[in-house]
Amino acid sequence: MTSVIATTRFSVLDRSRTREGRPTAEALRDTVALAGEAEALGYHRFWVSEHHGVPGVAGSAPTVLAAAVAAATRTIRVGTGGVMLPNHRPLVVAEQFGVLESLYPGRIDMGLGRSVGFTDGVRRALGRDRQDADDFEAQLTELLGWFEGTSPTGAHARPAEGLRVPPFVLATGEGALIAARAGLPLVIGDLRDRTKLLRGVDRYRAAFRPSPWASQPYVVISGTVAVAATPGEARRLLLPEAWSMAHARTRGTFPPLPPAERVETRTMSAKERGFYDSGLTGHIAGTEEQVRDALETVLEETGAQELLVTTSTYDREALLDSYRRLASLFTP
């Protein structure tokens, strides 16, 4: 184990991807089961995500799913990657995390993002529009105020007030600077655009202001990591997600993940093929040795303290094997 890998925390974000021909509820049960495996393998955190009206994702209520994950585990930190703050009232978010922290003290993380829905229809159903993301910084300040008991309303968030639930900002666009100004840990991706990633990390560190929540910058880089016995097997893990993303980019809806063998025989339009090929490039994928070398490079370049792995694929056993192989790189 190299020193840079040995000093890095490794964590998991599972998006509860649905799979062709499988019930939606199974994706949620798979997420809970994977959390138990991640805990046994030595991963530091296990996070779940928020998506609305997406056929390919079952995780629409992250704090509810986080509660199920925390109940099924004992030691791993549990949180959200993330709760999309513009979709909710900050008071309600504070209350939800206050309940989680009260039930599972010392294990809950509050990852917060600024997205407002994948389609116009979903945004209308949520009563939001794209401009609501512009209010994220003010919403973040309000949310933290509920934990600190500083709301100008005179109201109090129970049982959140006085609790310390670590907040993280998921960076998209201006997110890195928002995290820096608030003095909060940063979660930033993706690994495929290394130049953009490094630019965001540098901006965050340069602008960081210490806060009651964090005295110094803390960087979590996120992205897909696939590990298998051969480079070809590792690449096959990427096929379902790459095709589903290509479908979403060309048809406007993110579908359930298909098996890799169906992707390999699928006829694609030129536009789909372009998005598909792009979706297969830049990820960290290969054998243990290849992945170790790639991780050393990105961790040294970014100086990140943590890697949040976001891999999704159809074959759940192959996915678990990938997480096992990855864990072998950072566990004694």
Short mmCIF file of all heavy atoms in Angstrom, two decimals, residues 254-277:
data_model
loop_
_atom_site.label_atom_id
_atom_site.label_comp_id
_atom_site.label_asym_id
_atom_site.label_seq_id
_atom_site.Cartn_x
_atom_site.Cartn_y
_atom_site.Cartn_z
N PHE A 254 -33.55 9.06 -18.37
CA PHE A 254 -32.50 8.13 -17.95
C PHE A 254 -33.16 6.78 -17.65
O PHE A 254 -33.93 6.66 -16.70
CB PHE A 254 -31.79 8.67 -16.72
CG PHE A 254 -30.52 7.95 -16.40
CD1 PHE A 254 -29.30 8.43 -16.85
CD2 PHE A 254 -30.53 6.78 -15.66
CE1 PHE A 254 -28.12 7.75 -16.57
CE2 PHE A 254 -29.37 6.10 -15.37
CZ PHE A 254 -28.16 6.60 -15.83
N PRO A 255 -32.85 5.73 -18.42
CA PRO A 255 -33.53 4.44 -18.29
C PRO A 255 -32.86 3.52 -17.29
O PRO A 255 -31.73 3.78 -16.85
CB PRO A 255 -33.43 3.86 -19.70
CG PRO A 255 -32.08 4.33 -20.15
CD PRO A 255 -31.89 5.72 -19.55
N PRO A 256 -33.54 2.42 -16.92
CA PRO A 256 -32.88 1.38 -16.12
C PRO A 256 -31.64 0.85 -16.83
O PRO A 256 -31.54 0.89 -18.06
CB PRO A 256 -33.95 0.30 -15.99
CG PRO A 256 -35.24 1.02 -16.15
CD PRO A 256 -34.96 2.11 -17.16
N LEU A 257 -30.69 0.36 -16.03
CA LEU A 257 -29.45 -0.15 -16.60
C LEU A 257 -29.68 -1.48 -17.31
O LEU A 257 -30.28 -2.40 -16.73
CB LEU A 257 -28.41 -0.35 -15.50
CG LEU A 257 -27.93 0.90 -14.76
CD1 LEU A 257 -27.01 0.50 -13.61
CD2 LEU A 257 -27.21 1.84 -15.70
N PRO A 258 -29.19 -1.64 -18.54
CA PRO A 258 -29.28 -2.93 -19.23
C PRO A 258 -28.06 -3.78 -18.93
O PRO A 258 -27.02 -3.27 -18.52
CB PRO A 258 -29.30 -2.52 -20.70
CG PRO A 258 -28.44 -1.29 -20.72
CD PRO A 258 -28.64 -0.59 -19.40
N PRO A 259 -28.15 -5.10 -19.14
CA PRO A 259 -26.96 -5.95 -18.99
C PRO A 259 -25.89 -5.57 -20.02
O PRO A 259 -26.21 -5.11 -21.13
CB PRO A 259 -27.49 -7.36 -19.25
CG PRO A 259 -28.97 -7.27 -19.16
CD PRO A 259 -29.34 -5.87 -19.52
N ALA A 260 -24.63 -5.77 -19.67
CA ALA A 260 -23.53 -5.39 -20.57
C ALA A 260 -23.63 -6.13 -21.90
O ALA A 260 -23.35 -5.55 -22.96
CB ALA A 260 -22.20 -5.70 -19.90
N GLU A 261 -24.06 -7.40 -21.88
CA GLU A 261 -24.12 -8.16 -23.13
C GLU A 261 -25.15 -7.59 -24.10
O GLU A 261 -25.00 -7.69 -25.32
CB GLU A 261 -24.38 -9.64 -22.87
CG GLU A 261 -25.61 -9.93 -22.03
CD GLU A 261 -25.30 -10.02 -20.54
OE1 GLU A 261 -24.29 -9.43 -20.10
OE2 GLU A 261 -26.08 -10.68 -19.82
N ARG A 262 -26.21 -6.97 -23.58
CA ARG A 262 -27.19 -6.34 -24.45
C ARG A 262 -26.65 -5.04 -25.01
O ARG A 262 -26.93 -4.68 -26.15
CB ARG A 262 -28.49 -6.09 -23.70
CG ARG A 262 -29.29 -7.38 -23.47
CD ARG A 262 -30.74 -7.09 -23.16
NE ARG A 262 -31.33 -6.20 -24.15
CZ ARG A 262 -32.19 -5.23 -23.85
NH1 ARG A 262 -32.53 -5.01 -22.60
NH2 ARG A 262 -32.71 -4.49 -24.80
N VAL A 263 -25.88 -4.33 -24.22
CA VAL A 263 -25.28 -3.09 -24.71
C VAL A 263 -24.33 -3.38 -25.86
O VAL A 263 -24.29 -2.66 -26.87
CB VAL A 263 -24.53 -2.36 -23.57
CG1 VAL A 263 -23.82 -1.12 -24.10
CG2 VAL A 263 -25.48 -1.99 -22.44
N GLU A 264 -23.56 -4.46 -25.73
CA GLU A 264 -22.55 -4.80 -26.74
C GLU A 264 -23.17 -5.11 -28.10
O GLU A 264 -22.51 -4.96 -29.13
CB GLU A 264 -21.73 -5.98 -26.25
CG GLU A 264 -20.81 -5.64 -25.08
CD GLU A 264 -20.16 -6.86 -24.45
OE1 GLU A 264 -20.82 -7.92 -24.36
OE2 GLU A 264 -18.98 -6.75 -24.06
N THR A 265 -24.42 -5.56 -28.12
CA THR A 265 -25.05 -5.92 -29.39
C THR A 265 -26.07 -4.87 -29.85
O THR A 265 -26.75 -5.07 -30.85
CB THR A 265 -25.77 -7.28 -29.26
OG1 THR A 265 -26.77 -7.19 -28.21
CG2 THR A 265 -24.78 -8.37 -28.90
N ARG A 266 -26.18 -3.78 -29.14
CA ARG A 266 -27.18 -2.76 -29.44
C ARG A 266 -26.77 -1.91 -30.64
O ARG A 266 -25.60 -1.55 -30.79
CB ARG A 266 -27.38 -1.86 -28.21
CG ARG A 266 -28.71 -1.13 -28.18
CD ARG A 266 -28.80 -0.27 -26.92
NE ARG A 266 -29.17 -1.02 -25.75
CZ ARG A 266 -30.42 -1.25 -25.38
NH1 ARG A 266 -31.40 -0.82 -26.13
NH2 ARG A 266 -30.68 -1.91 -24.28
N THR A 267 -27.74 -1.60 -31.50
CA THR A 267 -27.50 -0.67 -32.60
C THR A 267 -27.74 0.75 -32.11
O THR A 267 -28.79 1.03 -31.51
CB THR A 267 -28.43 -0.97 -33.79
OG1 THR A 267 -28.21 -2.31 -34.23
CG2 THR A 267 -28.18 -0.01 -34.93
N MET A 268 -26.78 1.62 -32.32
CA MET A 268 -26.90 3.00 -31.86
C MET A 268 -26.80 3.96 -33.04
O MET A 268 -26.11 3.70 -34.01
CB MET A 268 -25.76 3.33 -30.87
CG MET A 268 -25.71 2.46 -29.65
SD MET A 268 -24.41 3.00 -28.50
CE MET A 268 -24.20 1.49 -27.53
N SER A 269 -27.50 5.09 -32.89
CA SER A 269 -27.34 6.16 -33.87
C SER A 269 -25.96 6.77 -33.69
O SER A 269 -25.28 6.56 -32.68
CB SER A 269 -28.41 7.23 -33.66
OG SER A 269 -28.20 7.90 -32.42
N ALA A 270 -25.55 7.57 -34.67
CA ALA A 270 -24.23 8.21 -34.59
C ALA A 270 -24.14 9.11 -33.37
O ALA A 270 -23.11 9.16 -32.68
CB ALA A 270 -23.96 9.00 -35.86
N LYS A 271 -25.23 9.80 -33.07
CA LYS A 271 -25.23 10.70 -31.92
C LYS A 271 -25.13 9.90 -30.62
O LYS A 271 -24.37 10.24 -29.71
CB LYS A 271 -26.50 11.55 -31.92
CG LYS A 271 -26.49 12.68 -30.91
CD LYS A 271 -27.70 13.58 -31.07
CE LYS A 271 -27.65 14.74 -30.09
NZ LYS A 271 -28.85 15.62 -30.24
N GLU A 272 -25.93 8.82 -30.53
CA GLU A 272 -25.86 7.95 -29.34
C GLU A 272 -24.45 7.37 -29.19
O GLU A 272 -23.91 7.34 -28.08
CB GLU A 272 -26.87 6.80 -29.47
CG GLU A 272 -28.27 7.14 -29.04
CD GLU A 272 -29.18 5.93 -29.16
OE1 GLU A 272 -29.04 5.16 -30.12
OE2 GLU A 272 -30.05 5.76 -28.28
N ARG A 273 -23.88 6.91 -30.29
CA ARG A 273 -22.55 6.30 -30.23
C ARG A 273 -21.52 7.30 -29.73
O ARG A 273 -20.62 6.95 -28.97
CB ARG A 273 -22.16 5.79 -31.62
CG ARG A 273 -20.76 5.22 -31.73
CD ARG A 273 -20.55 3.98 -30.89
NE ARG A 273 -21.37 2.87 -31.32
CZ ARG A 273 -21.32 1.65 -30.78
NH1 ARG A 273 -20.48 1.42 -29.77
NH2 ARG A 273 -22.10 0.69 -31.21
N GLY A 274 -21.65 8.54 -30.14
CA GLY A 274 -20.72 9.56 -29.67
C GLY A 274 -20.79 9.76 -28.17
O GLY A 274 -19.76 9.81 -27.48
N PHE A 275 -22.02 9.88 -27.64
CA PHE A 275 -22.19 10.03 -26.20
C PHE A 275 -21.73 8.77 -25.46
O PHE A 275 -21.14 8.84 -24.37
CB PHE A 275 -23.64 10.34 -25.85
CG PHE A 275 -24.05 11.75 -26.10
CD1 PHE A 275 -25.10 12.05 -26.96
CD2 PHE A 275 -23.39 12.81 -25.48
CE1 PHE A 275 -25.49 13.37 -27.20
CE2 PHE A 275 -23.77 14.12 -25.71
CZ PHE A 275 -24.82 14.40 -26.57
N TYR A 276 -22.02 7.60 -26.05
CA TYR A 276 -21.65 6.33 -25.44
C TYR A 276 -20.13 6.19 -25.33
O TYR A 276 -19.59 5.89 -24.26
CB TYR A 276 -22.23 5.19 -26.27
CG TYR A 276 -21.80 3.80 -25.85
CD1 TYR A 276 -22.27 3.22 -24.67
CD2 TYR A 276 -20.93 3.06 -26.66
CE1 TYR A 276 -21.88 1.94 -24.30
CE2 TYR A 276 -20.54 1.78 -26.30
CZ TYR A 276 -21.01 1.23 -25.12
OH TYR A 276 -20.63 -0.04 -24.76
N ASP A 277 -19.44 6.46 -26.43
CA ASP A 277 -17.98 6.37 -26.41
C ASP A 277 -17.39 7.36 -25.42
O ASP A 277 -16.43 7.05 -24.70
CB ASP A 277 -17.42 6.61 -27.81
CG ASP A 277 -17.72 5.46 -28.78
OD1 ASP A 277 -18.04 4.35 -28.29
OD2 ASP A 277 -17.66 5.69 -30.01
#
